[in-house]
Amino acid sequence: MKTDLFVSPRQNSRGRLLRWAAWLCFANTFLMMMVGWRYVTVMGFPDEPLARLFLFLASLGHFSMVAMIPFLMLSLLVLLFPNRTTLFIVGVLLTGLLLVILVSDSLVFALYRFHFNGMVWSLIRNGNLGEILPLSTNTFIIAGAIVVGAMLLESGLAWVIWKWTKAITRRGSIVAIAIVTVVVAFQLMYIWADAVHYVPITKIAGLFPGCRPLTARKFLLRHGWIQEVNYSSLKFKPSKTALKYPLVPVVCQPPARPLNVMVIVIDCWRFDMLNGKVTPNLWEFSQHNLRFDHHSAAANTTRFGIFSLFYGLYGTYWHAMLGERRGPVLIHEFDAAHYQFGIFASAALTSPEFDRTVFSEIKDRVALKTPGDNAPQRDQIITREMVNFLDKRQRDQPFFAFVFYDSPHAFAYPKEAPAPFQPAAARVDHLKLNKHHDPVLIRNRFLNAVHYTDSLVVDILKRLEQESLLENTVVMITGDHGEEFNESGQNYWGHNNNFSRYQTRVPLIVHWPGKEPATISHATSHLDVAPALLSLVLNCATDTTNYSLGYSLFDPQPRIPLVAATWDRFAICSPGRIDVMYDVGYTESFDEEYRPISTPIPPRYISIAMEGISRFHARRTSARSSASR
């Protein structure tokens, strides 16, 4: 007996076809919520009532928005080709495929605590998945059963909904209003939680694939709708975390007279801009200390460069650390060793949210904003503040200092400052930059800004020398990322748009009491800074693999591959190639000049990256990657 689904396909109106598509996708919201429960079991069901409410609203709201993806495609098909049979087949395939992808993502998430991304897709595309995951005959049978089961389920659901829509006419508008209300509610809850630092909710943000709730903290503060949080009252509850960081408690035994530590970061300072002309003072300083000639920021933007520097972790952990307001082991241990902190940054430490990540444990002792009308003026101020800190510090207590300059990022320097690089642009108009634009004028302006910053840093170094502090202070001077001026000819300018050496490699000068001047030729990165400071300054005996993905700066073993990260993608960098993995599930491969290449990435590199990306996420399953570092 034939159903009316396959009879007289043009006898039914577009209205009924649209209702059928809408109800089919709405029904899939609940199927996806059932699959989504696997993400919750991995993280653990929250104890707090508000967090439970948010989890329900976020699950319903997010998956209803995901379900709109096939609905939009089906709606277009209804308008262009309103054939029931075609619509049925396409609808089943789309919703079934989406369900299979979600099930697959939940399995990847349970194993590695990250969602399906370009790295996993690269393994599948190149047929190398079996080298990372154990694939047996039983695995393929289960996979086939999931696909067949999903398609059968969607077929049955599609037929039932088609019969049902014959009598349904107006309930859809009520459901649509309810769903919109849920979406708005869960977004507003997250905006509130982010603004007041309510961690039980904010840590849930990355639980579901593609879920990125809205934030409006600055807007709310500016209009006086919320008050600035009393950070000292915030208490982190380790038992509630989705992170396992560090893997074990870090055990340190600082010496009786521990070394001081000073870290100076120059925004956008690129590896080849440490020389006698651009930075004469820092070049002279490097000649009498340690210069690391192959150092990477493991990032191409400030947020992730500073994150890697202090945490010793890939930038892929940023969102989780921000969601839980987790500070780095580095700051925690120096605080536990009773160091006094002098933290001075030209740009606000609230954007990026270093007040909720890097300095979250000591933010009540940190000036989050520096007054001043522009970057050069603020850079002058933080230089004076750092010198004043050295003068007024408690002499019987060690210190940890951080100075972060911003003038190169702003391409700015005072009119009265020396500007040896000419001709230089009066200003930078990024809209005019293209593949054929001559970079000389703006590059010279940038070099003048770096040159100006060099003249400020030397004031701090002179004060250290005057106070005889160089005898007992580790000084590290580096950049947070590089800056590109179309050197590769691929129309890349600035930073945060590729992972070439022009955007990721930075200088590193280290003054370490007791160590002779030298040029360090082995590759290092910001990931190696925290392990070096913790193990060599605080005598932390805990294996560095328990709190970092780097090695000590002085360990010469190869760092292959190096994982560098930014917002929506990360790169697996290895000799001769850069493989970029996007969160949305595709990959791009380039040579060192950022020319596209087609050779597949070695599976072993993916294995190492997967292990690192997942190592510090808490698990409720024993499944782990067996890859070595």
Side-chain angles (χ1 to χ4, degrees):
M1 179 179 177
K2 295 182 179 180
T3 70
D4 65 340
L5 182 63
F6 297 102
V7 177
S8 302
R10 294 189 181 276
Q11 290 179 359
N12 294 283
S13 66
R14 282 186 170 89
R16 185 180 175 188
L17 294 173
L18 284 173
R19 288 199 304 275
W20 170 83
W23 283 108
L24 175 64
C25 294
F26 176 67
N28 267 272
T29 298
F30 295 97
L31 293 180
M32 288 187 284
M33 288 178 66
M34 293 172 63
V35 175
W37 184 253
R38 187 178 188 90
Y39 301 110
V40 180
T41 60
V42 171
M43 185 192 73
F45 195 67
D47 295 331
E48 298 81 0
L50 275 180
R52 292 183 176 185
L53 175 61
F54 175 80
L55 181 61
F56 170 74
L57 294 177
S59 177
L60 179 57
H62 177 66
F63 286 122
S64 65
M65 290 191 292
V66 173
M68 285 296 294
I69 297 173
F71 174 70
L72 293 175
M73 302 171 80
L74 291 173
S75 298
L76 182 62
L77 185 61
V78 169
L79 295 175
L80 298 177
F81 190 66
N83 181 283
R84 293 196 306 271
T85 303
T86 303
L87 194 66
F88 179 88
I89 295 172
V90 174
V92 168
L93 289 176
L94 287 176
T95 54
L97 179 61
L98 188 60
L99 195 61
V100 169
I101 291 174
L102 187 63
V103 171
S104 302
D105 180 82
S106 70
L107 295 174
V108 170
F109 189 83
L111 284 171
Y112 296 107
R113 281 308 310 271
F114 56 77
H115 294 292
F116 194 94
N117 54 30
M119 184 165 56
V120 180
W121 170 243
S122 179
L123 291 170
I124 296 173
R125 183 183 61 186
N126 297 313
N128 295 317
L129 189 62
E131 299 191 34
I132 307 299
L133 300 175
L135 300 180
S136 62
T137 302
N138 189 51
T139 303
F140 287 106
I141 292 174
I142 294 174
I146 291 174
V147 173
V148 173
M151 294 304 171
L152 289 175
L153 178 62
E154 295 294 349
S155 297
L157 189 61
W159 181 83
V160 169
I161 290 175
W162 176 259
K163 300 294 291 183
W164 188 54
T165 54
K166 189 174 183 179
I168 299 299
T169 57
R170 296 185 179 180
R171 295 181 185 174
S173 58
I174 298 175
V175 172
I177 293 172
I179 290 298
V180 170
T181 302
V182 168
V183 171
V184 171
F186 105 77
Q187 293 286 0
L188 289 176
M189 283 190 72
Y190 189 84
I191 288 173
W192 167 80
D194 177 75
V196 302
H197 303 273
Y198 188 67
V199 174
I201 285 179
T202 57
K203 73 176 184 179
I204 298 174
L207 187 61
F208 302 124
C211 185
R212 291 288 186 268
L214 301 174
T215 61
R217 181 169 173 267
K218 291 182 181 178
F219 177 83
L220 297 175
L221 282 171
R222 186 164 59 247
H223 288 79
W225 294 343
I226 62 170
Q227 300 296 319
E228 189 64 72
V229 175
N230 179 10
Y231 294 112
S232 61
S233 66
L234 297 177
K235 300 297 182 182
F236 177 71
K237 299 179 180 179
S239 62
K240 305 302 180 184
T241 179
L243 290 162
K244 181 68 173 176
Y245 170 78
L247 296 179
V248 299
V250 176
V251 178
C252 304
Q253 293 184 334
R257 297 180 63 85
L259 296 173
N260 305 307
V261 174
M262 176 177 288
V263 179
I264 299 174
V265 177
I266 301 173
D267 205 328
C268 301
W269 191 27
R270 204 171 80 180
F271 71 99
D272 57 350
M273 294 177 180
L274 170 62
N275 56 60
K277 188 174 182 181
V278 180
T279 52
N281 295 300
L282 291 175
W283 175 252
E284 176 66 20
F285 188 70
S286 73
Q287 302 306 295
H288 305 285
N289 291 285
L290 300 169
R291 188 178 78 245
F292 291 75
D293 275 357
H294 292 85
H295 188 78
S296 172
N300 62 7
T301 191
T302 295
R303 185 182 311 265
F304 301 99
I306 298 297
F307 180 87
S308 296
L309 181 69
F310 278 87
Y311 285 82
L313 302 178
Y314 303 157
T316 56
Y317 285 93
W318 165 268
H319 297 290
M321 295 293 180
L322 175 61
E324 297 193 5
R325 283 37 175 180
R326 295 290 300 275
V329 168
L330 179 72
I331 294 295
H332 178 82
E333 293 302 327
F334 274 93
D335 192 27
H338 306 295
Y339 273 63
Q340 52 192 318
F341 289 93
I343 310 297
F344 307 105
S346 179
L349 292 176
T350 55
S351 181
E353 303 90 336
F354 297 134
D355 61 322
R356 292 184 273 171
T357 50
V358 176
F359 304 114
S360 59
E361 291 191 25
I362 60 169
K363 60 172 71 72
D364 56 323
R365 289 169 272 168
V366 173
L368 300 179
K369 294 182 180 180
T370 298
D373 297 330
N374 52 56
Q377 189 179 102
R378 291 191 297 271
D379 284 352
Q380 292 175 357
I381 291 172
I382 64 173
T383 302
R384 291 197 299 268
E385 288 180 338
M386 185 69 253
V387 172
N388 289 337
F389 171 81
L390 294 176
D391 292 342
K392 298 177 180 179
R393 75 189 192 283
Q394 296 182 23
R395 305 288 170 141
D396 59 346
Q397 186 179 358
F399 66 82
F400 185 105
F402 174 66
V403 189
F404 190 13
Y405 290 100
D406 196 45
S407 289
H409 182 265
F411 287 71
Y413 49 93
K415 292 181 180 180
E416 66 275 11
F421 297 92
Q422 297 295 333
R427 61 182 181 277
V428 179
D429 188 349
H430 293 280
L431 295 178
K432 293 183 178 180
L433 301 180
N434 57 57
K435 189 173 183 178
H436 305 291
H437 188 85
D438 187 351
V440 171
L441 294 180
I442 65 167
R443 191 175 191 273
N444 281 345
R445 182 173 181 86
F446 177 81
L447 293 176
N448 287 331
V450 176
H451 184 80
Y452 164 69
T453 307
D454 173 80
S455 70
L456 299 178
V457 176
V458 72
D459 290 342
I460 297 175
L461 298 179
K462 286 179 179 178
R463 183 52 59 95
L464 289 173
E465 186 175 8
Q466 292 167 358
E467 296 285 330
S468 299
L469 285 171
L470 290 177
E471 299 173 5
N472 63 344
T473 303
V474 174
V475 180
M476 294 184 172
I477 310 173
T478 187
D480 56 344
H481 55 80
E483 188 79 3
E484 188 166 1
F485 298 92
N486 196 30
E487 280 85 357
S488 65
Q490 305 297 318
N491 198 29
Y492 288 109
W493 300 83
H495 55 275
N496 197 29
N497 51 47
N498 74 34
F499 293 94
S500 68
R501 64 183 181 275
Y502 304 111
Q503 296 192 31
T504 59
R505 280 186 53 192
V506 295
L508 175 63
I509 307 168
V510 175
H511 167 79
W512 201 293
K515 292 187 181 294
E516 295 296 321
T519 298
I520 308 298
S521 58
H522 66 260
T524 56
S525 79
H526 278 5
L527 304 175
D528 305 323
V529 170
L533 292 176
L534 287 169
S535 60
L536 299 178
V537 175
L538 294 187
N539 289 339
C540 299
T542 307
D543 193 304
T544 60
T545 59
N546 289 302
Y547 59 83
S548 173
L549 294 169
Y551 304 88
S552 172
L553 283 168
F554 306 103
D555 187 337
Q557 65 179 296
R559 278 85 160 156
I560 301 175
L562 172 68
V563 173
T566 188
W567 279 100
D568 58 349
R569 61 197 183 279
F570 61 89
I572 301 177
C573 305
S574 55
R577 65 181 302 139
I578 302 167
D579 296 278
V580 183
M581 311 292 173
Y582 289 81
D583 289 350
V584 293
Y586 71 96
T587 65
E588 292 181 307
S589 297
F590 305 91
D591 65 12
E592 290 182 339
E593 292 302 320
Y594 239 73
R595 295 182 294 254
I597 58 177
S598 57
T599 54
I601 179 174
R604 179 175 175 272
Y605 293 165
I606 295 181
S607 175
I608 294 172
M610 290 176 73
E611 192 279 330
I613 288 171
S614 63
R615 185 188 303 174
F616 296 100
H617 285 295
R619 290 175 175 77
R620 295 177 183 271
T621 173
S622 60
R624 290 185 66 117
S625 168
S626 59
S628 66
R629 292 184 65 194

